[in-house]
Amino acid sequence: MPGKGIIHVTVGGETVTVINLADDCAMHSVKATAGKVFPAYRAWDTADRRGSTIVDYHGDHVLEKQIFAHAVDGEATAVLGTHTHEATERLRLLTKGTAFVTEVGMTGPDGGVQGFTPTNLVNGLRTAGNPFAGDMPDVFGGPMVLGAVLLEISNGAATGIERIR
């Protein structure tokens, strides 16, 4: 939870807490987070949660997202996985009332490579064996896509989750 990492908002007259958590695998190469990312559960356990709580879990591994979601089932209203940009189809309501999706998906330009024009990434891969060795890629100019889900919440528990297309 480096930076702010948490916000409390009022929705329909009720408090909703949104927490952004990242596992160190997803963020290990980002210099701004060096030494600041600690285990997601520790950040969850020390967070100031009020009302319904939605977790944006930014992580690489499906396994870690699933374990976290089950660990907070009944405490979190929803755990929404992010980072890979490729939406997973399966939407779940866990047994104690937590909605869960492994990957919500990207909001941004479709096509290219995760929203970027592939040219510089492909050149870096071909010439240096590292797609990130060259110049930063430009944002792809394709049509926009929305990676999102709609949650139904009653008394702090999720009663429904559906993908918005």
Side-chain angles (χ1 to χ4, degrees):
M1 241 174 26
K4 191 167 185 174
I6 188 168
I7 189 169
H8 306 284
V9 294
T10 302
V11 179
E14 297 185 26
T15 301
V16 176
T17 300
V18 179
I19 302 174
N20 297 105
L21 300 178
D23 65 34
D24 61 352
C25 187
M27 302 300 288
H28 74 275
S29 64
V30 180
K31 290 178 183 170
T33 63
K36 297 179 184 174
V37 177
F38 44 90
Y41 190 80
R42 181 173 145 213
W44 162 263
D45 207 32
T46 60
D48 175 23
R49 302 185 311 268
R50 304 176 210 158
S52 298
T53 302
I54 299 170
V55 178
D56 166 6
Y57 190 109
H58 194 79
D60 265 340
H61 299 290
V62 171
L63 179 72
E64 290 178 357
K65 293 176 188 181
Q66 289 175 344
I67 292 168
F68 180 83
H70 284 275
V72 300
D73 185 17
E75 296 175 64
T77 305
V79 176
L80 309 176
T82 60
H83 181 63
T84 67
H85 295 219
E86 293 294 329
T88 54
E89 192 62 34
R90 189 168 181 200
L91 305 173
R92 306 179 205 188
L93 286 176
L94 302 181
T95 58
K96 296 178 186 171
T98 297
F100 174 61
V101 60
T102 303
E103 176 63 46
V104 173
M106 180 181 78
T107 296
D110 198 18
V113 177
Q114 292 189 345
F116 293 103
T117 302
T119 307
N120 291 352
L121 297 165
V122 170
N123 288 341
L125 179 66
R126 287 183 174 163
T127 61
N130 177 353
F132 305 104
D135 293 331
M136 282 297 298
D138 295 321
V139 174
F140 192 75
M144 299 297 276
V145 294
L146 173 68
V149 294
L150 177 66
L151 299 171
E152 291 180 42
I153 301 170
S154 177
N155 298 319
T159 57
I161 180 172
E162 64 182 84
R163 185 159 299 284
I164 297 175
R165 299 191 190 268

